[in-house]
Amino acid sequence: MFIAQELRRKNIAEYLLYMWQVEDTIRAFGCSLSRIKREYVDRFDYSEEQKEEELDWFGNLVKMMNEEGCREQGHLQINKVTLQMLIELHQQLLESPKFPFYNTAYYKVLPFIVELRNCGANKEENEIETCFNSLYGVMMLRLRKADISPETQHAVKEISTFIGMLSDYYKKDREEGLKFD
């Protein structure tokens, strides 16, 4: 919860990737709150009050995962909404003549997105979702210490830069409001 709050304020892309990881962490513990407490939350250097808050947060997420039918796979509605907000901002940035650097960054990563989409199961997936899925997939590979080809590393570096730019625009839009016309 504490990490999620900080990330949401600073970097929406990192927040979304973190929340996907939290979903997988919950699944890894069988959606069992007692296991999450014993095997995960208790390992943090938190006060007892902070541990209680963290456990309440995990409890709410477990409840939502059960209610939304994503115990085994998929994403919580709150995470889908966050992704959708980024998709909509992406479209606004592309359609506006006021963001040429964003357009340039997009067309630079577009060949990687097309290639990733062609390799994936869901060829109808939105481009931004493809970017997030690739970043998350590589993040999971790194956690497993798996080999990542130089080509994939290059693609992910470019995609990461692009998504970072989108995240920066999201923050600026929330704080100041972007003018699209």
Side-chain angles (χ1 to χ4, degrees):
M1 175 185 86
F2 302 110
I3 296 169
Q5 288 173 335
E6 182 71 15
L7 286 175
R8 185 163 181 93
R9 204 171 57 253
K10 284 185 172 179
N11 187 315
I12 196 69
E14 288 180 11
Y15 164 80
L16 186 58
L17 292 170
Y18 176 77
M19 288 303 296
W20 285 5
Q21 188 177 16
V22 166
E23 291 169 340
D24 282 344
T25 298
I26 290 170
R27 289 182 189 110
F29 291 111
C31 296
S32 165
L33 202 52
S34 61
R35 280 191 63 203
I36 292 169
K37 178 188 185 321
R38 185 177 64 249
E39 299 174 39
Y40 189 72
V41 173
D42 283 347
R43 293 181 179 200
F44 290 100
D45 188 28
Y46 290 154
S47 69
E48 286 307 311
E49 184 179 316
Q50 288 174 317
K51 286 181 181 180
E52 284 293 319
E53 285 182 59
E54 189 82 355
L55 206 55
D56 284 347
W57 182 68
F58 271 103
N60 287 330
L61 292 176
V62 168
K63 182 179 178 207
M64 287 188 286
M65 288 174 75
N66 286 325
E67 289 172 354
E68 295 176 22
C70 56
R71 279 180 65 101
E72 303 296 322
Q73 64 182 7
H75 298 298
L76 288 166
Q77 193 62 35
I78 56 172
N79 296 330
K80 290 178 183 177
V81 167
T82 300
L83 180 62
Q84 186 59 41
M85 287 188 307
L86 290 168
I87 290 169
E88 289 169 8
L89 177 60
H90 165 72
Q91 287 302 323
Q92 289 176 306
L93 291 166
L94 285 182
E95 291 168 4
S96 173
K98 291 190 171 190
F99 303 95
F101 293 116
Y102 185 81
N103 268 276
T104 300
Y106 168 70
Y107 285 106
K108 185 176 180 184
V109 299
L110 187 57
F112 299 120
I113 294 169
V114 170
E115 188 175 336
L116 286 164
R117 205 189 279 161
N118 287 337
C119 294
N122 186 357
K123 295 184 184 351
E124 299 303 312
E125 177 178 84
N126 179 277
E127 296 162 337
I128 299 302
E129 189 171 0
T130 299
C131 290
F132 274 95
N133 282 330
S134 66
L135 293 173
Y136 188 74
V138 169
M139 186 173 86
M140 292 295 101
L141 288 172
R142 286 184 178 140
L143 284 173
R144 292 185 202 123
K145 298 186 183 340
D147 288 335
I148 302 166
S149 72
E151 296 83 10
T152 300
Q153 288 180 31
H154 176 69
V156 165
K157 182 177 182 256
E158 297 295 334
I159 289 170
S160 182
T161 300
F162 169 66
I163 291 297
M165 184 182 283
L166 177 60
S167 184
D168 290 345
Y169 278 122
Y170 176 88
K171 184 176 181 185
K172 186 172 182 162
D173 190 38
R174 291 287 175 243
E175 292 173 354
E176 305 166 22
L178 293 174
K179 306 275 189 268
F180 294 101
D181 46 7

